[in-house]
C-alpha cells in the first residue's frame, strides 16, 4: 500500500476515534465527554513516572487553546502527578493550534519547534507533549541531538509515531485504539473511558502500530 494512502487511513483513524468518543456517549445537550481525555492525562502521568523510575523534571507542551477537549488532559495529568512526588513540572510551553495543520499527514509538533524546546530545556528529564510527536520532513532525524530529554506523547497517533519510536526520538506514546474495546458495561470513570479508546505504546509493544 502506498504511503499517501496509509497516511490518509491514519488520519481517518484519528478522526473516527474522536467521533466515536463523542457519539458513543452523546447527551441531550450534545456536550463532549471529557473523561476519555482526562483518562489520557491520568494514565499518562502514571506511565511517565514508570518511564523515569519515579523521579525527574518535566516540560509540558500543550496547545494555546484552553477550550479544546485535548486541554482536559493537561490538568488531569498535573493532578495525577501529585501522586508521584519525585516528579515536577519545570516549565510549560504553549504552541498555536491551527486546524489546517492538524489535518495534514505531517501533523504534530513541528521539527523546528521540537528542536527549540529540546535546546531550551536540555536539562529536563522528559518532555511531555499534548500536541503530538515531532514531525520531521521525510522522517529525517539527523538533527535530533544525541543527548536530549526523553519524549512522551499524550495526544494521539500520527503517521510518524512508529518511526519516531524506532529511532528513539519518542519513548512512550498514548494513542487511540484502532478498534475501540467493547465493554459489557458503560464506562464510568476516566480510566475506564481510557481503556475503551486509548492504549499505551512503548518500544516493547510498538509492533501494534502500523508501518508507513
Amino acid at each position: 500500500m502506498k504511503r499517501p494512502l496509509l497516511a490518509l487511513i491514519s488520519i481517518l483513524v484519528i478522526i473516527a476515534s474522536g467521533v466515536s468518543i463523542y457519539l458513543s456517549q452523546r447527551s441531550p445537550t450534545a456536550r463532549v465527554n471529557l473523561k476519555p481525555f482526562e483518562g489520557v492525562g491520568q494514565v499518562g502521568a502514571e506511565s511517565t513516572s514508570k518511564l523515569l523510575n519515579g523521579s525527574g523534571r518535566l516540560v509540558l507542551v500543550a496547545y494555546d487553546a484552553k477550550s479544546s477537549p485535548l486541554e482536559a488532559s493537561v490538568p488531569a495529568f498535573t493532578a495525577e502527578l501529585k501522586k508521584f512526588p519525585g516528579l515536577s513540572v519545570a516549565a510549560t510551553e504553549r504552541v498555536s493550534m491551527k486546524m489546517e495543520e492538524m489535518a495534514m499527514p505531517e501533523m504534530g509538533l513541528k521539527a523546528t519547534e521540537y528542536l527549540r524546546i529540546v535546546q531550551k530545556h536540555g536539562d529536563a528529564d522528559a518532555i511531555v507533549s499534548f500536541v503530538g510527536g515531532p514531525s520531521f520532513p521525510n522522517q529525517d532525524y539527523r538533527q535530533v541531538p544525541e543527548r536530549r530529554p526523553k519524549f512522551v506523547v499524550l495526544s494521539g497517533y500520527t503517521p510518524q509515531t512508529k518511526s519516531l519510536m524506532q529511532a528513539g526520538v519518542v519513548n512512550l506514546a498514548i494513542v487511540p485504539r484502532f478498534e475501540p474495546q467493547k465493554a459489557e458495561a458503560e464506562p464510568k470513570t476516566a480510566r475506564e473511558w481510557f481503556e475503551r479508546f486509548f492504549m499505551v505504546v512503548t518500544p516493547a509493544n510498538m509492533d501494534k502500530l502500523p508501518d508507513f
Side-chain angles (χ1 to χ4, degrees):
M1 190 179 295
K2 295 182 179 180
R3 184 178 173 187
L5 180 56
L6 284 170
L8 176 59
I9 292 174
S10 71
I11 294 170
L12 292 176
V13 167
I14 297 168
I15 294 173
S17 297
V19 171
S20 63
I21 290 171
Y22 173 71
L23 293 179
S24 64
Q25 40 68 58
R26 283 188 66 180
S27 67
T29 56
R31 297 181 63 184
V32 176
N33 178 14
L34 298 179
K35 287 190 179 297
F37 302 102
E38 292 170 356
V40 168
Q42 292 174 5
V43 177
E46 181 180 290
S47 300
T48 300
S49 178
K50 291 179 181 179
L51 177 67
L52 298 179
N53 295 318
S55 178
R57 298 170 68 254
L58 311 178
V59 173
L60 308 187
V61 183
Y63 285 118
D64 188 16
K66 295 186 178 181
S67 62
S68 166
L70 295 176
E71 179 66 19
S73 300
V74 181
F77 178 91
T78 55
E80 189 72 11
L81 210 62
K82 295 178 181 179
K83 297 180 181 180
F84 309 101
L87 298 179
S88 62
V89 177
T92 299
E93 295 279 346
R94 291 280 179 177
V95 299
S96 62
M97 184 178 185
K98 298 179 180 179
M99 295 305 296
E100 62 271 19
E101 293 180 356
M102 294 176 66
M104 296 175 63
E106 304 299 332
M107 67 186 82
L109 187 66
K110 291 183 179 180
T112 53
E113 192 72 2
Y114 164 80
L115 294 171
R116 180 190 70 80
I117 293 173
V118 167
Q119 183 177 13
K120 181 179 179 181
H121 302 285
D123 58 341
D125 295 286
I127 296 171
V128 180
S129 172
F130 296 87
V131 307
S135 177
F136 285 83
N138 301 316
Q139 299 182 4
D140 183 358
Y141 306 130
R142 287 176 295 180
Q143 300 177 69
V144 177
E146 183 175 347
R147 298 187 62 180
R148 60 188 183 277
K150 293 184 181 300
F151 201 91
V152 177
V153 177
L154 305 182
S155 60
Y157 180 76
T158 71
Q160 291 194 15
T161 300
K162 188 170 185 177
S163 67
L164 285 165
M165 193 163 284
Q166 289 173 328
V169 179
V170 169
N171 305 95
L172 183 150
I174 286 181
V175 304
R177 293 185 183 276
F178 290 88
E179 293 185 4
Q181 286 191 336
K182 295 181 179 179
E184 296 181 0
E186 185 78 354
K188 295 181 180 180
T189 67
R191 283 178 179 265
E192 288 174 348
W193 278 107
F194 173 90
E195 291 299 331
R196 173 175 286 192
F197 288 108
F198 294 94
M199 64 180 181
V200 179
V201 178
T202 67
N205 67 338
M206 64 180 175
D207 59 316
K208 294 182 178 180
L209 298 175
D211 292 307
F212 287 93

